[in-house]
Amino acid sequence: MTMTDQVGLVIIATGVLFDLLGCIGMVRLPDVYNRLQAGTKCVTLGVCLILTGTAVMADATPIRLKAVLCALFVLITSPTAAHALARAARVSGIRLWEKSVADQFARSK
Amino acid sequence: MNRLILFVLLFLFWVVLTWTAVPPGPAYLQDVGAGLAAALLVTWAVGEKSGTRLAPWLQPQRYAWAIVYFFVLAVYVIKANLDVAYRVLHPAMPIRPGIVRVKTRLRQPAARAALGNSITLCPGTLAVDIHEDGTMMVHWIYVRSLDEAEAGRMIISRFEWFLEKILE
């Protein structure tokens, strides 16, 4: 195994670790909004790291470029999807966890 | 003009994604043709709605700031993940969640969208909604202030400064 492969594998393993943390957050946190927080942040970084590791390990330029493009795509779309889900949940009346300290949400006129 | 920019960007994206146009492969013409057709179709479908101005695209300092911003954001994303790791692995799960209101001074739709996405990738915050006047609803996993101005300083000020230079 070459040095580049080892670096790539370490990056991919870190990505998988963050994905796992995101999953633990999805299970442990109490409501849809908190779960989205954990899910979005960890999965975004996790997937981006896995793709970066792929780009490091790849032996052809096209694969590297595609991996980087996909990482950028995830970086832009994943928080957008989280916003759409959180907004839809709140607008359709899904309550926050009972120990939440505030809900200053309001619909626009 | 807007449509032309969009078309060129879409086509370039396709070329990179398929990677056949550069060293002409066996299916070279089909791939370029399909790319042109797809780019045309998307341009026709959304071109009218995208309010792109040409002038900002030609200012190099915006790109320079965008690169700086990328690294600043990367640091926050890593911090955010360590923050999540701490909260979900802690036996007592230290959270104090709530939805708070903050107000942004950014006016451009693209700048606002970038701000919302940045907030979501940052430690403990998730952009939920935004109103026309710039009021944003943000879900905060550990609420530290219910005051609009103070919460704004904690959540969005650090990004507004950059985004004003890049997208406004």
Side-chain angles (χ1 to χ4, degrees):
Chain A
M1 197 189 285
T2 64
M3 188 67 200
T4 356
D5 281 353
Q6 288 169 353
V7 174
L9 281 177
V10 169
I11 298 175
I12 291 177
T14 318
V16 172
L17 178 73
F18 279 121
D19 274 350
L20 178 68
L21 283 170
C23 294
I24 296 173
M26 293 283 259
V27 176
R28 281 202 79 196
L29 290 166
D31 66 4
V32 59
Y33 309 98
N34 290 302
R35 286 177 171 162
L36 272 173
Q37 291 242 16
T40 314
K41 292 180 225 302
C42 288
V43 172
T44 307
L45 184 65
V47 172
C48 285
L49 283 176
I50 292 172
L51 286 165
T52 311
T54 312
V56 170
M57 287 176 79
D59 46 9
T61 314
I63 301 176
R64 289 211 181 96
L65 272 174
K66 279 177 207 175
V68 171
L69 268 185
C70 289
L72 282 175
F73 183 76
V74 170
L75 196 65
I76 294 171
T77 50
S78 161
T80 311
H83 143 73
L85 285 169
R87 183 177 181 277
R90 189 57 191 77
V91 167
S92 57
I94 294 180
R95 292 214 186 94
L96 276 72
W97 182 43
E98 72 259 23
K99 286 183 195 156
S100 298
V101 293
D103 185 3
Q104 300 180 341
F105 184 89
R107 294 291 299 271
S108 59
K109 280 120 219 150
Chain B
M1 202 60 206
N2 290 344
R3 290 183 160 207
L4 189 65
I5 298 170
L6 183 67
F7 177 76
V8 171
L9 284 177
L10 285 169
F11 183 66
L12 284 178
F13 185 70
W14 171 276
V15 168
V16 175
L17 208 58
T18 54
W19 205 262
T20 45
V22 185
Y28 168 63
L29 279 177
Q30 283 98 313
D31 278 337
V32 174
L36 285 173
L40 258 181
L41 191 71
V42 177
T43 310
W44 170 75
V46 303
E48 209 60 71
K49 290 171 204 141
S50 67
T52 331
R53 294 162 303 158
L54 180 63
W57 287 91
L58 301 175
Q59 295 166 333
Q61 71 272 25
R62 288 176 186 269
Y63 295 94
W65 279 114
I67 292 166
V68 176
Y69 186 63
F70 179 82
F71 288 104
V72 172
L73 193 63
V75 172
Y76 279 115
V77 171
I78 292 165
K79 269 194 190 164
N81 277 271
L82 298 176
D83 180 74
V84 170
Y86 164 70
R87 289 185 203 288
V88 300
L89 295 178
H90 195 291
M93 235 184 2
I95 60 171
R96 191 170 177 267
I99 293 179
V100 298
R101 259 188 243 188
V102 292
K103 194 155 181 145
T104 175
R105 57 173 191 263
L106 300 175
R107 308 294 322 168
Q108 291 296 329
R112 286 178 168 188
L115 179 66
N117 278 3
S118 304
I119 289 173
T120 300
L121 291 175
C122 259
T125 48
L126 169 75
V128 177
D129 204 359
I130 185 163
H131 294 172
E132 192 60 43
D133 65 356
T135 310
M136 292 182 95
M137 264 65 67
V138 176
H139 183 267
W140 210 353
I141 206 163
Y142 199 94
V143 175
R144 285 187 287 153
S145 170
L146 290 174
D147 178 62
E148 193 179 282
E150 202 186 354
R153 276 197 298 279
M154 290 174 178
I155 300 174
I156 59 172
S157 296
R158 54 197 179 196
F159 298 126
E160 276 181 328
W161 188 84
F162 280 104
L163 290 169
E164 252 174 359
K165 289 182 163 45
I166 303 168
L167 290 164
E168 278 283 294

